[in-house]
Amino acid sequence: MSDDDGRSPEEQPLLRVDGGRGRRMKESKCGRCVSSRACCGLLCCIMITTAIIAAVLAVLISYGIIDKEVDKFIAKQVSLTKGSAATDQWSKPGAAVYMSFYMFNLTNKDEFLNGEKATIKEIGPFVYNESKTKYNLRWNSDETILEYFENTSYIFNKEKSNRLDPSHVNITTINLPLIGFLLQFEKLINISATFPPPINTIVKDLIETIITELNKDFNEKLIMTRPVSEILWGYEDPFLKFVADLLANVTFIDLHKELNGGFFQLEHQTDTAGPNMVYTGKGSPQTTAQYLMYDGKTSITGWGTPYAQMINGTEALLFHPGVSRTDVLDVYVDELFRSGYFTYYKDITEFDIKMYQFRLPQKELQKAYQDKGFYMDGPDGVLNLTAVFPLNVPIFVSKPHFLDADEYYTNDINGPPSNRDKHDSFLNVEPITGAVLHAAKRLQINIQLKQYEDIPDLSHLPINTTYLPLLWVEETGSLNESIASTFRDTVYKPINTIQISAITVASVSGSVGILLLLIFLMVGLCKLEMYMKRRRKRNGETAYVGLNFNN
């Protein structure tokens, strides 16, 4: 049976009810009533999704540009290449640096020589302005390695020294060159004991005679009293000069450098080190300022293993950019003839500059964590420098007042207590650049004294090995407002400019994405309106098929 239009029921369009009246309504081809709405919705969804993805990608790409541009800017600034800001500051530091010496005066020398515990009193500080200048800078062809020389000098600062005059303040302390020779004689006595008699007795008697003549002719005593200036910067020792002159033409005994013409000194008021070589960080920022060579040496031959002999790290003025709290910062300490390391301690802010503070860890002074080539000796808390010190004087270095050391050391002397804030070394590192903006290197020099029955001057010392403090030294350099302002202007402001520019790009890109989104929405609405008009035109007055507006 056919309907009015001559088509079979299977070919008739579906009936829809509208306004309570049943009437037949034509759909568009392929189910236009449903399909057109679905297609339109799908198109809008695609447009919206595309716009959102475009905006998000724009922001992500912009922030990627920030990181890339900041890294590029920092790498250029901190690399030690020709004309860089880091090279200028590194070669001629603008911050004031001070070297302060605190001397220990032995107040009971007679009692100490008779076996009693030493009593010491700290006197100081004796403060000097330190000046370091790097010169004769030369780069290799690709500027990855820099060679230079460095001059260091000290000028006394009376005001910061509380008007103490090192030339007029006398200190009673140990006669270091005499100790060196006495211990060399002790080694000879031990060696002579392996000789067959009567040679062993003859050699021992000869050495004891030399020591006796030494005391008689040169009036050398184990304990001496000298001005601070002489103890620090040197003096001519009569016996030392006698031996130096005696061995001047002897080629098979190479002690000329150690004897130094009879002039003994702990510090050099003017000193030149070089040639030195460091990596510039160009192309490899993690290696920035790390030593390849120091003072013409690529290793320290006095130590006992290849590992201990290595020269690692920087001079603690500059590290690699992007320093993190988990980093271990290697440094080479020329006063110790060896490398060491610092670990993170805390965050700190100075002059609106955020920094990480690194400190010398306790492990660095513990035998269990040290290579055997460093000849660690005694309880934990000291470093043995005997192998690399002139004349092999038994010098041991610790933190001032034996901070972080075994209580053995403080129990063995009567002296002032330690204070972490005053006696610990630290480096305040600006993490973006790796620049050290505030630092304090604090070390105490001690001498190991043992009782030797065969040497008269050492035969009455305390039975227990004593580590007698001689002095402690503090090298400090810090920010002031002028330097901090320059740092903020040359580092932070350009970084902020880069970030603002990239954020602006991100904002514009995001705005474009949002604009596209709005355009797509408007296009979608227009298409929807056009669709609805076509529906109304096909269906007469009824706007929405299937809805009854009469009730």
Side-chain angles (χ1 to χ4, degrees), residues 492-525:
Y492 284 176
K493 281 188 177 180
I495 290 175
N496 290 338
T497 301
I498 293 171
Q499 291 174 333
I500 291 171
S501 299
I503 290 171
T504 301
V505 172
S507 300
V508 171
S509 302
S511 299
V512 170
I514 293 172
L515 181 61
L516 288 173
L517 178 61
L518 292 174
I519 292 173
F520 289 158
L521 286 174
M522 291 175 66
V523 171
L525 290 173

Side-chain angles (χ1 to χ4, degrees), residues 40-50:
C40 184
L42 179 61
L43 178 61
C44 288
C45 287
I46 292 173
M47 290 179 175
I48 292 170
T49 302
T50 302

Side-chain angles (χ1 to χ4, degrees), residues 361-367 370 376 380-383 399:
Q362 288 182 255
K363 286 183 178 180
E364 186 68 349
L365 301 173
Q366 295 176 351
K367 288 187 290 185
Q370 289 292 326
M376 296 291 284
D380 287 340
V382 297
L383 302 176
K399 293 183 179 182

Side-chain angles (χ1 to χ4, degrees), residues 26-46:
K26 297 180 181 179
E27 282 192 353
S28 58
K29 295 179 180 179
C30 299
R32 289 176 183 171
C33 185
V34 176
S35 299
S36 295
R37 186 181 300 173
C39 290
C40 184
L42 179 61
L43 178 61
C44 288
C45 287
I46 292 173

